[in-house]
């Protein structure tokens, strides 16, 4: 099935896809990606890190790797009903100004509106800590534990207008250990994500994924 999305061009290590990474927190995934790109030339290069808060610890990872890393907080002066889209306009403007080709949501905790998704469809990737379609939403580990799942995992997927529901690009299973708490499970899943998502970007950016 072809989805007819705007596919990123096929890149090479000599002419990599220009990536922006959106974060909200500590950015351990961003750090893993930057290290991966630093190890050797890849067909994607992070050129912009955007956080929705100046307190997002992950901004430091970007700066340390000499990547432009800025926060774009919610514009609180704008009235509440228009604030969310106004915020996305600010983010969109930063992405366009930096000539970004592909956007990665790596622990970005805001649900994007159809306005933003429609502008970046096919060029917007998310990492989610469960085996989608199981346990979508912001509490995937807690929900997996509460459901008594013996296996969960992580998913790299394209973002569509719904929550955690776009085309799946890659998944890895992670066993839930007996007696494991949410934090321990989260850390183990993150370690798998840190390997899976840079490699999935390799496939996507080099044209090995057919959309
Ligand atoms: C990851 O587990 C990712 O799956 C989820 O948010 C977490 C981000 O963690 N979307 P970090 O900020 O990269 O450490």
């Amino acid at each position: 099935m072809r989805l007819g999305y705007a596919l990123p061009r096929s890149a090479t290590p000599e002419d990599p896809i220009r990536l922006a990474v959106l974060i909200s927190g500590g950015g351990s995934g961003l750090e893993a990606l930057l290290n991966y790109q630093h190890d050797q030339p890849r067909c994607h290069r992070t050129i912009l890190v955007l956080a929705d808060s100046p307190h997002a610890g992950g901004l430091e990872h970007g700066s340390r790797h000499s990547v432009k890393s800025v926060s774009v907080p919610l514009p609180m002066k704008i009235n509440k009903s228009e604030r969310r889209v106004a915020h996305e306009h600010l983010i969109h403007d930063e992405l366009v100004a930096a000539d970004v080709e592909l956007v990665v949501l790596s622990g970005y905790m805001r649900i994007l509106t159809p306005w933003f998704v429609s502008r970046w469809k096919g060029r917007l990737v998310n990492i989610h800590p469960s085996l989608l379609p199981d346990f979508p939403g912001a509490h995937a580990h807690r929900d997996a534990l509460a459901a008594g799942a013996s296996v969960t995992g992580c998913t790299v997927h394209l973002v569509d207008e719904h929550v955690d529901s776009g085309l799946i690009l890659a998944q890895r299973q992670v066993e839930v250990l007996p007696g494991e708490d949410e934090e321990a499970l989260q850390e183990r899943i993150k370690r798998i994500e840190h390997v899976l998502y840079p490699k999935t970007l390799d496939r996507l950016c080099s044209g090995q994924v057919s959309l």
Side-chain angles (χ1 to χ4, degrees):
M1 183 180 66
R2 292 191 66 81
L3 297 174
Y5 290 158
L7 190 77
R9 67 189 164 86
S10 281
T12 59
E14 295 73 39
D15 186 16
I17 292 277
R18 296 166 63 81
L19 276 192
V21 182
L22 270 55
I23 59 168
S24 294
S28 66
L30 166 67
E31 184 182 25
L33 177 65
L34 291 169
N35 288 337
Y36 183 80
Q37 293 168 334
H38 181 76
D39 281 350
Q40 66 182 73
R42 311 285 181 182
C43 50
H44 44 84
R45 186 162 63 89
T46 304
I47 52 123
L48 181 64
V49 174
L50 293 179
D52 57 355
S53 159
H55 308 296
L59 286 167
E60 282 177 19
H61 299 310
S63 302
R64 205 170 45 249
H65 281 263
S66 307
V67 175
K68 181 181 176 188
S69 301
V70 291
S71 66
V72 182
L74 275 182
M76 299 309 282
K77 287 189 179 147
I78 290 184
N79 99 35
K80 204 170 173 192
S81 63
E82 293 160 24
R83 200 175 289 157
R84 191 164 156 223
V85 171
H87 183 231
E88 290 183 351
H89 274 268
L90 295 173
I91 291 186
H92 178 72
D93 290 349
E94 290 279 355
L95 297 173
V96 171
D99 203 12
V100 165
E101 296 176 278
L102 186 67
V103 179
V104 179
L105 308 178
S106 187
Y108 188 67
M109 298 310 285
R110 294 188 180 280
I111 294 172
L112 297 165
T113 68
W115 178 84
F116 187 90
V117 173
S118 69
R119 264 142 200 87
W120 291 95
K121 205 162 181 179
R123 300 184 294 145
L124 190 54
V125 173
N126 184 44
I127 300 101
H128 182 79
S130 77
L131 292 177
L132 291 172
D134 291 346
F135 312 119
H139 304 291
H141 315 92
R142 188 192 307 172
D143 294 345
L145 290 172
S150 56
V151 173
T152 180
C154 51
T155 302
V156 183
H157 67 98
L158 291 181
V159 175
D160 67 11
E161 292 79 1
H162 308 286
V163 176
D164 299 327
S165 75
L167 180 79
I168 291 174
L169 301 174
Q171 292 187 302
R172 286 289 177 280
Q173 291 192 352
V174 176
E175 213 181 311
V176 179
L177 302 178
E180 191 165 41
D181 66 12
E182 205 178 316
E183 201 181 329
L185 180 60
Q186 179 176 28
E187 284 312 310
R188 282 197 312 113
I189 292 177
K190 275 190 187 185
R191 286 206 289 274
I192 307 295
E193 291 176 4
H194 295 172
V195 177
L196 181 65
Y197 107 73
K199 287 191 179 301
T200 306
L201 292 177
D202 284 349
R203 285 176 43 233
L204 184 64
C205 294
S206 61
Q208 292 173 55
V209 178
S210 147
L211 302 179

